[in-house]
Amino acid sequence: MKRTFLYLILVSLSGLGNFLFAEDGSRLWLRFSDVTVNEKLFSGVSGRTDVFAASEFAHAWSQMTGDELLTQKHIADNSLIFALAKDKVVRNMRLSTEMKKLGDEGFLIRTITYQNKKLTLVAANTDAGLLYGSFHLLRMIQTNTFSDQIKVVEKPAYDLRILNHWDNLNGTVERGYAGRSIWKWDELPAKLSPRYEAYARANASIGLNATVLNNVNATPDILTTEYIQKIKALASVFRPFNIKVFISINFASPKQLGRLPDADPMRPEVQKWWKEKVKEIYRAIPDFGGFLVKANSEGLPGPMDYGRTHVDGANMIADALKPYGGLLMWRAFVYEPGDDRAKLAYKEFIGFDGKFRDNVIIQVKNGPIDFQPREPFSPLFGAMKRTPVMPELQITQEYLGHSNHLVFLAPMWEEVLKSDTFAFGKGSTVAAVTDGTFVKTKTTAIAGVANIGDDINWTGHHFAQANWYAFGRQAWSHQITSKQIAEEWTSMTFDKSQQTTKSSIVNCQLSIVEILLSSHETCVNYMMPLGLHHIFAWDHHYGPEPWCDIPGARPDWLPKYYHNASKAGIGFDRTDKGSNAVSQYFSPLREQFNNIEACPEKYLLWFHHVPWSHKMKNGRTLWDELCYRYDSGVQQVREYQKLWDKLESEIDSQRFAEVQSRLRIQARDAVWWKNAILLYFQTYSQMPIPFDIERPVHELDDLKKIKLDMKHHN
Ligand code: BDP
């Protein structure tokens, strides 16, 4: 990485651009032309003017002001900048320990007074740091937090902040709800869609620095010479934005592509095949990131097909990547049948702790099952004490209403990252056991499964952009609050779409933030409160199907496995009297989860099978509480509809109408969920729905007949 040092100087601001853009959501949160810059401007870029950060800043600047950003080349009176560059203020800073601590991607932004002028300085050790610093400064301007007293020092929590695309080479996207893949494989490498650069810019603006281009359910084709050329073309677009490219690979590739008899990791020809393939990739893309592997999971091939272990398979590929500094991300999403599914990944991997090469990192989903609306954290976090582990979050809303429901996921991820594992005593949060604080590793990382497609607004629902944004911000800083993220995103995304007064903009933004911050809990309430999980419709996971029964299906793919409803009660007994999944957690959590009185109610039915008449902390019976939770989920969505409708005059008509229409779907779906779940479970509880709650408007038998045509949901 090039060592560099740059400072951007804003003495004051002037000018106002007036560009007209369609309000179709395509500009994401980078709506620079809508920024009101209301002071007088003098700006300069000094140091190396060829720095990419400077051109990105200039790009935004010209949209904000309608003016070109002045660089030292253009400024008639550039003596100030030259003098500053030579001045001891800057020289001292260059050498300061503070600068050293910034590492490769950190930056500082500071107001200094120089020759009686207030200047804003962005400084970093590398081009990448400057890029992040410049976007941070832009964000301050966008969110009206720019001042003449800035003192910001930032560096990222994780080394690698990665989007995982589940994009197939045929252009479809697994669990994608925003159109087709943005990667136009047929056109690559010759034709580069302008979307690639826009994608890279958006990622850089929120601190993301890596991408896995293709689905974890990978086909061997991605490793053909033809595809390597296509990947190379994408990598060249992303490189200036400091984004490293990774791909998912299929473990059986040596057999299928290389025509070897098998893909046994102990077979020398197999090892050689991987070495050659990796060499070919690095010849084309010297800064290639590495591979992501889903092996022996959901029918995919892996080392266990040959009586080998995950360690054998991972280390073999890691050895091929090692000479080039490549990283191998190996997924722990495995659940060979045989025990409570929530225990399987831990059981499989815990014995491998400390046995992987140092360029292997284990990718663990946030919860032990599968990206449910709410899960306790996976017990693998903290348990692997000598192995790098990276959290995998799901940005795409597979289990949270696809792109029809407005659900802001930052609070869910914040809950996970801030959960205490107690692995190294109090304070060993999921964040701290994965960011290098407790487990010393060469590389730390966090991944989010992308929700991006080729829809004009990128993510299907306009508000789903907030989840892409939030993932980037939390990957950069796991200490940032959901509230701060919601406020930032809202003020960058819904700024001055209409010519309204300042106070109406503020009110509008307050309403949006209010919706965002409560929306995850709302969704949990109308889908799966109190620790319920996986009671979704078969396969597409949209809508309720707690009664689902597919003859011959794996039991742990069916809702009944998880809810266990009977006349006696409901929930999965994972206590020491049941599957004993609680034993995979550290004390005092395992005792807490094990004890029905101490277990947090949000996880009650995750860990316990509970009688319908069980007394909740608020004095209600479990059955009544369930009814009220579902009902409050419905009421909350209705509230969002009202809040949104009130904003009509504040929001551009296109985005207003599109969100309004999806809120209607969400409200109907919430009623559907409530009716389906309560009517179905009532056949077991045989208790009345509390009389102050709105009555169901469906018949259970009709709800059971619903089979969705998922074309409408993709
Ligand atoms: C599940 C999805 C499936 C993915 C799998 C995975 O339903 O489409 O392939 O996870 O993460 O959530 O591998």
Side-chain angles (χ1 to χ4, degrees):
M1 205 167 279
K2 268 181 254 155
R3 294 277 136 185
T4 186
F5 183 85
L6 164 144
Y7 47 91
L8 301 162
I9 305 165
L10 306 176
V11 176
S12 50
L13 308 164
S14 84
L16 227 191
N18 212 357
F19 291 79
L20 278 180
F21 282 98
E23 298 294 2
D24 53 16
S26 58
R27 290 184 293 152
L28 296 164
W29 48 87
L30 299 175
R31 300 158 55 88
F32 295 117
S33 58
D34 287 352
V35 175
T36 312
V37 176
N38 49 22
E39 291 164 75
K40 259 194 110 326
L41 162 79
F42 172 80
S43 73
V45 181
S46 185
R48 289 174 23 223
T49 45
D50 62 338
V51 168
F52 187 70
S55 62
E56 277 301 295
F57 192 83
H59 173 87
W61 188 262
S62 68
Q63 287 190 33
M64 288 195 289
T65 63
D67 286 337
E68 228 183 297
L69 179 74
L70 302 176
T71 68
Q72 64 176 5
K73 270 196 271 163
H74 306 111
I75 300 169
D77 176 20
N78 59 13
S79 54
L80 178 73
I81 296 171
F82 278 126
L84 179 62
K86 293 206 190 92
D87 194 87
K88 62 176 186 322
V89 182
V90 167
R91 256 188 294 131
N92 288 346
M93 190 181 286
R94 222 188 267 259
L95 301 171
S96 66
T97 47
E98 193 177 24
M99 282 296 291
K100 288 200 187 96
K101 281 199 217 142
L102 296 178
D104 275 350
E105 295 189 314
F107 58 83
L108 61 81
I109 308 179
R110 176 138 328 147
T111 310
I112 59 168
T113 307
Y114 188 72
Q115 295 184 355
N116 290 328
K117 291 201 163 72
K118 294 267 192 195
L119 308 178
T120 308
L121 224 94
V122 181
N125 293 316
T126 64
D127 290 6
L130 285 178
L131 189 63
Y132 300 130
S134 302
F135 276 116
H136 191 100
L137 178 57
L138 286 169
R139 179 161 50 240
M140 295 181 88
I141 299 172
Q142 286 175 279
T143 55
N144 247 322
T145 49
F146 179 78
S147 75
D148 62 2
Q149 289 170 41
I150 302 178
K151 201 166 190 274
V152 173
V153 185
E154 295 244 349
K155 64 181 204 173
Y158 293 95
D159 301 330
L160 285 174
R161 306 170 297 278
I162 315 173
L163 283 184
N164 287 358
H165 290 265
W166 284 359
D167 294 22
N168 298 312
L169 305 187
N170 66 6
T172 58
V173 181
E174 177 146 353
R175 310 303 179 185
Y177 313 105
R180 291 173 63 79
S181 171
I182 45 166
W183 317 131
K184 303 298 167 201
W185 293 107
D186 295 348
E187 301 173 353
L188 284 163
K191 192 168 163 210
L192 295 172
S193 151
R195 275 244 153 162
Y196 303 153
E197 185 179 301
Y199 162 87
R201 175 172 296 117
N203 281 339
S205 77
I206 50 177
L208 295 174
N209 67 356
T211 180
V212 181
L213 299 174
N214 61 318
N215 193 355
V216 284
N217 297 318
T219 57
D221 290 348
I222 190 79
L223 288 172
T224 56
T225 304
E226 188 193 343
Y227 271 94
I228 293 172
Q229 290 311 310
K230 296 172 193 278
I231 299 163
K232 178 182 173 177
L234 287 174
S236 67
V237 179
F238 301 160
R239 188 166 296 115
F241 293 93
N242 195 44
I243 292 171
K244 251 193 198 326
V245 169
F246 290 74
I247 56 172
S248 300
I249 54 105
N250 182 299
F251 196 80
S253 300
K255 184 174 165 200
Q256 298 196 25
L257 270 190
R259 297 178 191 281
L260 294 178
D262 58 41
D264 183 349
M266 295 304 173
R267 180 188 280 278
E269 301 94 294
V270 169
Q271 296 167 358
K272 183 158 168 273
W273 189 88
W274 282 110
K275 288 208 165 100
E276 305 264 289
K277 192 41 90 181
V278 167
K279 190 167 164 196
E280 181 188 348
I281 297 175
Y282 277 91
R283 216 181 299 123
I285 313 161
D287 55 355
F288 181 71
F291 298 144
L292 171 63
V293 189
K294 171 175 176 178
N296 291 121
S297 162
E298 300 188 330
L300 275 116
M304 288 154 86
D305 302 348
Y306 309 100
R308 315 294 182 192
T309 67
H310 285 281
V311 175
D312 300 330
N315 286 352
M316 183 260 307
I317 300 183
D319 286 344
L321 289 163
K322 178 94 179 171
Y324 311 94
L327 182 74
L328 183 71
M329 299 180 280
W330 191 269
R331 292 176 94 223
F333 181 63
V334 295
Y335 54 105
E336 285 299 296
D339 200 343
D340 168 8
R341 175 166 167 189
K343 289 165 66 185
L344 295 171
Y346 179 103
K347 274 177 76 174
E348 182 82 46
F349 274 77
I350 196 70
F352 299 144
D353 191 18
K355 301 209 167 117
F356 292 99
R357 299 279 191 267
D358 65 359
N359 60 331
V360 176
I361 187 163
I362 305 301
Q363 180 164 304
V364 176
K365 288 190 181 181
N366 59 272
I369 299 233
D370 191 11
F371 297 139
Q372 297 300 291
R374 169 171 276 138
E375 297 191 36
F377 66 87
S378 163
L380 273 172
F381 293 115
M384 308 252 317
K385 294 194 160 153
R386 290 170 299 137
T387 307
V389 169
M390 59 185 284
E392 178 183 1
L393 310 172
Q394 195 182 41
I395 311 171
T396 190
Q397 291 169 234
E398 173 181 357
Y399 293 102
L400 291 117
H402 297 186
S403 53
N404 281 337
H405 293 199
L406 189 169
V407 189
F408 182 52
L409 301 175
M412 174 168 86
W413 300 328
E414 185 178 358
E415 179 175 296
V416 173
L417 292 168
K418 292 184 176 166
S419 290
D420 202 340
T421 69
F422 292 92
F424 298 85
K426 201 167 159 38
S428 347
T429 58
V430 170
V433 298
T434 52
D435 73 356
T437 306
F438 289 106
V439 184
K440 294 294 163 216
T441 69
K442 268 174 63 177
T443 310
T444 60
I446 184 166
V449 180
N451 60 350
I452 298 163
D454 69 356
D455 274 5
I456 188 77
N457 72 4
W458 299 84
T459 54
H461 198 305
H462 288 288
F463 276 72
Q465 296 178 355
N467 292 330
W468 176 9
Y469 182 88
F471 172 70
R473 298 290 288 134
Q474 287 180 329
W476 180 276
S477 162
H478 47 56
Q479 291 313 305
I480 192 173
T481 62
S482 302
K483 181 158 182 278
Q484 189 182 333
I485 300 172
E487 285 169 356
E488 279 177 15
W489 178 81
T490 302
S491 89
M492 292 159 84
T493 309
F494 291 99
D495 34 27
K496 60 173 191 73
S497 310
Q498 310 272 310
Q499 291 306 316
T500 44
T501 62
K502 200 163 168 66
S503 71
S504 65
I505 295 174
V506 170
N507 284 334
C508 166
Q509 293 182 350
L510 281 177
S511 302
I512 293 176
V513 169
E514 185 183 330
I515 295 174
L516 284 170
L517 288 178
S518 56
S519 60
H520 172 248
E521 206 62 52
T522 295
C523 177
V524 169
N525 280 336
Y526 67 71
M527 282 188 185
M528 275 164 246
L530 301 176
L532 282 172
H533 51 291
H534 227 314
I535 50 179
F536 288 99
W538 176 255
D539 190 32
H540 54 66
H541 302 154
Y542 188 93
E545 207 171 67
W547 49 80
C548 175
D549 199 5
I550 308 269
R554 271 180 68 156
D556 59 359
W557 282 356
L558 295 173
K560 285 182 181 165
Y561 174 90
Y562 299 97
H563 65 65
N564 289 295
S566 69
K567 294 224 158 77
I570 181 170
F572 199 123
D573 185 356
R574 297 196 164 102
T575 68
D576 54 8
K577 310 266 178 319
S579 79
N580 205 19
V582 293
S583 67
Q584 295 181 338
Y585 290 92
F586 289 92
S587 286
L589 280 187
R590 67 162 71 131
E591 291 80 10
Q592 196 192 346
F593 291 156
N594 195 47
N595 175 347
I596 194 168
E597 298 306 329
C599 181
E601 287 188 339
K602 63 183 175 184
Y603 302 138
L604 185 65
L605 304 178
W606 184 281
F607 288 114
H608 296 269
H609 188 75
V610 183
W612 296 108
S613 57
H614 170 82
K615 250 221 168 90
M616 303 294 291
K617 294 204 172 86
N618 60 12
R620 288 184 185 142
T621 62
L622 168 65
W623 168 252
D624 279 2
E625 182 63 9
L626 261 188
C627 294
Y628 283 112
R629 290 288 178 126
Y630 277 97
D631 189 62
S632 86
V634 171
Q635 300 311 324
Q636 282 159 314
V637 181
R638 290 232 179 280
E639 211 43 52
Y640 299 161
Q641 288 187 284
K642 289 181 205 153
L643 280 168
W644 187 253
D645 283 357
K646 271 195 222 151
L647 301 179
E648 182 159 9
S649 61
E650 314 294 332
I651 306 230
D652 50 278
S653 52
Q654 186 176 347
R655 288 189 298 172
F656 175 78
E658 286 170 2
V659 171
Q660 185 187 53
S661 145
R662 293 200 185 215
L663 279 171
R664 288 179 182 151
I665 299 175
Q666 187 172 1
R668 288 199 295 270
D669 286 351
V671 173
W672 173 27
W673 270 99
K674 171 186 152 186
N675 287 190
I677 301 298
L678 295 188
L679 289 174
Y680 174 70
F681 286 146
Q682 195 178 33
T683 64
Y684 295 105
S685 81
Q686 312 213 315
M687 292 161 88
I689 294 171
F691 298 110
D692 55 345
I693 289 178
E694 277 189 46
R695 310 286 89 193
V697 290
H698 298 100
E699 296 297 340
L700 182 56
D701 285 342
D702 294 337
L703 294 173
K704 284 186 175 176
K705 282 185 211 136
I706 296 178
K707 289 282 169 244
L708 290 183
D709 173 0
M710 289 319 290
K711 280 201 287 296
H712 299 301
H713 290 266
N714 281 307

